[in-house]
């Protein structure tokens, strides 16, 4: 696995090489980058990284003098690979690949014994930083990874020039990076924004946010998280809070305790992915367009207001819609994903009820929740009309002392019975589950929809406000079918806690005090402190603009940029624009390197003196390293004829005046030195061919 190599660097002793501060910088970079991916890295691999860094630190500070043996490292590598195969086998390919890369870097850190090892580790760390952008693309992490890249460049400089202080290396690398920044910005704007040549494999162990199944109480736990779920920017003013129902997942299979996505829907989505077949709902009424920037969840579900279809943009190519009116991506969201959708708020009621929909949404478990079955049977015999029956069910939530709480009791046996008649306290999933189940018992098709409700409106500088939707906005509601009104949304939570729908979860839980009780330091809890809330909104605004204008800069936005500059996009204008970009980059490069080249350019006298030395060297006389110009000139005068020695003496004298007296030779002197150089070379040639004899 590892080749046996000497612990040395060119020009350095083994101990000097091991104590190079560059190796300490590489160790620190590996530790920081690895821990930035802690949610996707196995704990024991992080411990190996720390061990490698400790070993390097101990050697650098003279606490230890020997690296682990090659045999020890080979055994450790073998055991680590077996452990990684066992641990990451069920977690997904991406999870395993990232852990394998970090493991390789940790072992390479322990094994570095030559210059080649240093180069391999630096290249691997750059690749690891690139992997970091898959998981973390926020502005803060982008700055962090840029700092890590700068540290890697400084470590390379320190490795090759250990005698120069790290401050000087940092200054040089910073200047070079700043000089490269304008060129990088130009290339970011003009290079073609291609789709990924590969797709990120799904990481099963890293899924976040909503799940494909819920047991009443699950969303209550999710609502204790203040992590961002997504942001939405509307072309016009966003809808009011009561209309912000962000659809994500539809659950139609109920076993008496748990709701989950029906197997029929899963098979239909798999068929859609294979055939790229798009479901087309009936669209009618007014619509509104908006952009969504979704946070990574490693799930395919997308968020949109009912009923949404992909807007006619490039993003629509990767978005499909299922028969239950959900939007999902062809690939799981492994990084931030920006897409544009168009919602028709009045279209839900115009969708048909297929035979498959009716069969799926009327199915009920045969056993369990006996009291609920008897109660519904009595109501159904009393209210034959579907509308009156639904009203009777909803009155049960109004007339009884139901409580909306984030701390419901656990109801393991007959949860619907206990919720409706005993506890009468729960979260949105309790109310939605109970209502959907009782509707089905009454012969009315119903299903649960999970997603998010509400969203914090943030005023962006100079633009329309956008909505930030957090995990604590997670919500569940019911969709039911009526022959008169079609599909319609019913939210029983709004009957028990209208503040939850109109003002959000924070206001609804104000009296109970359970909002983000498990996250005491969450910024979302500090809205009552004005200056802290302003900082929170400022940071959110920075992250929003970074996500929208940098991460969301795709080929469509690039074309818009070109149109604003060129007007009509014709081949001739694009060609001229491309030539202009090449000229601009060339001009920037010349501004960077031309002053340095002019500063180090030798004068004509210096150049001709060096050529004269080269010509004499070819003739057989080499200037010794200890000889100064005058001493060497005396040697030439003693051993060469005057027709060679006199021109060389004149060139040497002019060179000495320039080098030691700072007297430049211009005009006639330059012309004279050129003539002397030509004369000397001509006579040297004659001397070499025998046409000129040695005469002193």
């Amino acid at each position: 696995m590892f080749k046996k190599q000497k612990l040395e660097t060119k020009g350095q002793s083994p101990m000097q090489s091991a104590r190079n501060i560059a190796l300490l910088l590489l160790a620190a970079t590996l530790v920081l980058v690895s821990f930035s991916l802690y949610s996707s890295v196995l704990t024991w691999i992080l411990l190996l990284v720390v061990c490698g860094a400790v070993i390097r630190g101990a050697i650098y500070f003279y606490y230890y003098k020997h690296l682990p043996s090659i045999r020890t490292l080979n055994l450790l590598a073998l055991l680590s690979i077996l452990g990684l195969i066992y641990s990451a086998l069920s977690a997904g390919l991406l999870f395993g690949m990232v852990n394998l890369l970090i493991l390789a870097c940790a072992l390479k850190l322990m094994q570095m014994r030559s210059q080649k090892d240093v180069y391999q580790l630096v290249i691997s760390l750059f690749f690891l930083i690139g992997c970091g952008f898959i998981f973390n693309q926020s502005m803060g992490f982008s700055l962090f990874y840029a700092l890590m890249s700068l540290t890697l460049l400084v470590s390379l400089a320190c490795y090759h020039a250990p005698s120069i202080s790290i401050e000087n290396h940092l200054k040089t690398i910073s200047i070079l990076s700043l000089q490269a920044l304008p060129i990088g910005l130009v290339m970011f704007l003009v290079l073609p924004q291609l789709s990924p040549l590969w797709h990120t494999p799904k990481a099963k162990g890293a899924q976040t946010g909503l799940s494909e199944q819920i047991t009443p109480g699950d969303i209550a736990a999710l609502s204790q998280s203040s992590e961002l779920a997504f942001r939405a920017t509307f072309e016009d003013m966003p809808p009011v809070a009561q209309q912000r129902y962000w659809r994500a997942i539809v659950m139609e299979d109920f076993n008496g305790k748990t709701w989950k996505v029906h197997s029929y829907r899963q098979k239909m989505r798999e068929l859609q992915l294979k055939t790229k077949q798009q479901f087309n709902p009936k669209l009618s009424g007014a619509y509104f367009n908006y952009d969504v920037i979704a946070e990574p969840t490693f799930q395919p579900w997308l968020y949109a207001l009912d009923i949404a279809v992909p807007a006619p943009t490039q993003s629509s190519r990767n978005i499909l819609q299922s028969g239950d009116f959900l939007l999902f991506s062809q690939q799981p969201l492994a990084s931030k994903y920006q897409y544009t959708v168009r919602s028709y708020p009045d279209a839900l009621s115009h969708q048909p009820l297929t035979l498959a929909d009716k069969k799926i949404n009327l199915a009920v478990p045969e056993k369990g929740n006996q009291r609920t079955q008897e109660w519904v049977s009595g109501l159904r015999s009393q209210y034959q009309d579907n509308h009156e029956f639904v009203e009777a069910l909803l009155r049960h939530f109004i007339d009884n002392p139901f409580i909306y709480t984030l701390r419901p009791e656990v109801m393991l046996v007959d949860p619907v019975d206990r919720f409706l008649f005993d506890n009468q306290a729960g979260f949105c999933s309790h109310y939605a589950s109970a209502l959907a189940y009782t509707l089905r018992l009454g012969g009315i098709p119903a299903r649960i929809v999970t997603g998010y409700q509400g969203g914090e409106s943030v005023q962006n500088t100079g633009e329309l406000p956008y909505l930030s939707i957090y995990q604590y906005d997670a919500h569940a509601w019911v969709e039911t079918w009526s022959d008169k009104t079609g599909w319609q949304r019913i939210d029983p939570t709004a009957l028990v806690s209208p503040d939850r729908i109109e003002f959000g979860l924070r206001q609804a839980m104000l009296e109970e005090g359970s909002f983000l009780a498990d996250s005491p330091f969450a910024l979302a809890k500090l809205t009552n402190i004005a200056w802290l809330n302003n900082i929170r909104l400022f940071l959110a605004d920075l992250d929003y603009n970074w996500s929208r204008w940098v991460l969301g800069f795709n080929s469509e936005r690039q074309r818009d940029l070109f149109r604003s500059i060129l007007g009509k996009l014709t081949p001739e204008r694009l060609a001229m624009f491309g030539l202009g970009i090449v000229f601009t980059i060339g001009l920037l490069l010349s501004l960077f390197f031309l002053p340095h080249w002019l500063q180090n350019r030798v004068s004509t006298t210096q150049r001709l003196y060096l050529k004269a030395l080269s010509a004499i060297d070819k003739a057989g006389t080499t200037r010794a390293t200890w000889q100064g110009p005058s001493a060497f000139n005396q040697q030439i005068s003693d051993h060469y004829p005057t027709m060679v020695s006199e021109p060389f003496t004149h060139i040497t004298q002019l060179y000495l005046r320039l080098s030691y007296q700072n007297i430049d030779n211009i005009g006639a002197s330059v012309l004279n030195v050129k003539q002397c150089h030509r004369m000397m070379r001509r006579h040297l040639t004659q001397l070499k061919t025998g046409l000129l004899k040695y005469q002193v």
Side-chain angles (χ1 to χ4, degrees), residues 49 91 113 189 222 257 272 320 331 470 553 685 687 693:
V49 171
R113 286 171 164 84
L189 294 175
L222 183 62
K257 295 181 180 179
Q272 281 187 266
L320 296 175
Q331 292 293 328
Y470 298 90
F553 188 76
T685 303
L687 183 66
K693 297 182 179 179

Side-chain angles (χ1 to χ4, degrees), residues 511-523:
E511 182 176 350
E512 186 180 70
S514 58
F515 177 69
L516 296 181
D518 298 336
S519 304
F521 300 105
L523 290 178

Side-chain angles (χ1 to χ4, degrees), residues 239-245 453-456 473 475 491 493-495 497-508:
V240 296
Q242 296 88 336
Q243 299 176 358
R244 300 174 191 165
Y245 282 85
Q453 199 286 323
E456 181 183 41
D473 291 315
H475 195 57
D491 188 358
T493 302
L495 303 176
S497 178
D499 286 348
R500 165 63 185 90
I501 307 304
E502 187 172 357
F503 301 108
L505 185 66
R506 180 188 296 106
Q507 183 67 28

Side-chain angles (χ1 to χ4, degrees), residues 323-385:
D324 49 358
F325 321 129
L326 297 183
L327 296 180
F328 61 99
S329 174
Q330 296 187 33
Q331 292 293 328
L333 274 61
S335 59
K336 286 190 177 184
Y337 183 59
Q338 183 171 4
Y339 55 97
T340 304
V341 290
R342 176 177 293 175
S343 288
Y344 294 79
D346 300 328
L348 181 63
S349 60
H350 295 84
Q351 307 308 313
L353 177 70
T354 65
L355 293 177
D357 291 338
K358 185 174 183 179
K359 181 179 179 180
I360 291 173
N361 290 287
L362 283 175
V364 292
E366 296 180 359
K367 298 180 180 179
N369 300 298
Q370 190 63 35
R371 283 191 292 170
T372 302
Q373 295 184 28
E374 295 174 356
W375 174 63
V376 171
S377 178
L379 281 180
R380 198 51 169 157
S381 61
Q382 183 178 357
Y383 301 100
Q384 300 294 326
D385 182 73

Side-chain angles (χ1 to χ4, degrees), residues 43 77 118 181 196 257 294 376 388 414 423 449 477 537 583 683 694:
T43 304
V118 174
L181 187 61
K257 295 181 180 179
V376 171
E388 293 180 354
D414 294 333
N423 295 348
V449 181
W477 59 93
L537 294 177
F583 175 78
H683 289 102
Y694 278 94

Side-chain angles (χ1 to χ4, degrees), residues 34-217:
S34 300
F35 274 87
S36 73
L37 302 171
Y38 70 94
S39 60
S40 302
V41 184
L42 295 170
T43 304
W44 62 269
I45 291 184
L46 290 177
L47 291 177
L48 276 180
V49 171
V50 173
C51 288
V54 169
I55 290 174
R56 282 295 165 186
I59 292 177
Y60 182 82
F61 292 108
Y62 287 115
Y63 294 118
Y64 195 69
K65 295 183 179 181
H66 303 286
L67 289 175
S69 65
I70 299 299
R71 180 178 299 178
T72 301
L73 288 173
N74 284 335
L75 179 61
L76 182 60
L78 180 61
L79 294 177
S80 299
I81 292 298
L82 294 176
L84 182 59
I85 293 174
Y86 175 78
S87 303
L89 189 62
S90 60
L93 182 60
L94 177 61
F95 179 83
M97 291 172 63
V98 172
N99 280 270
L100 178 61
L101 180 59
I102 296 177
L103 173 62
C105 290
L107 296 176
K108 178 59 70 174
L109 181 65
M110 299 179 190
Q111 185 250 352
M112 281 193 301
R113 286 171 164 84
S114 68
Q115 179 175 285
K116 183 181 71 172
D117 293 330
V118 174
Y119 289 164
Q120 289 175 346
L121 181 58
V122 169
I123 294 173
S124 300
L125 285 175
F126 272 121
F127 195 83
L128 184 60
I129 289 174
C131 292
F133 281 104
I134 297 177
F135 303 97
N136 307 303
Q137 296 182 353
S138 65
M139 190 174 183
F141 273 104
S142 298
L143 293 175
F144 169 74
Y145 289 134
L147 179 61
M148 292 297 99
S149 300
L150 183 66
T151 304
L152 287 181
L153 295 176
V154 172
S155 67
L156 276 178
C158 291
Y159 184 76
H160 287 286
S163 59
I164 300 177
S165 66
I166 190 173
E167 291 80 7
N168 289 337
H169 283 311
L170 181 59
K171 180 180 178 181
T172 302
I173 296 299
S174 300
I175 292 174
L176 291 175
S177 301
L178 290 175
Q179 289 175 340
L181 187 61
I183 297 178
L185 179 60
V186 171
M187 296 179 69
F188 172 76
L189 294 175
V190 302
L191 284 180
Q193 301 290 322
L194 302 176
S195 300
L197 300 178
W198 59 281
H199 294 289
T200 306
K202 186 174 181 178
K204 298 179 182 178
Q207 294 180 356
T208 60
L210 299 171
S211 174
E212 293 186 1
Q213 68 176 32
I214 61 168
T215 299

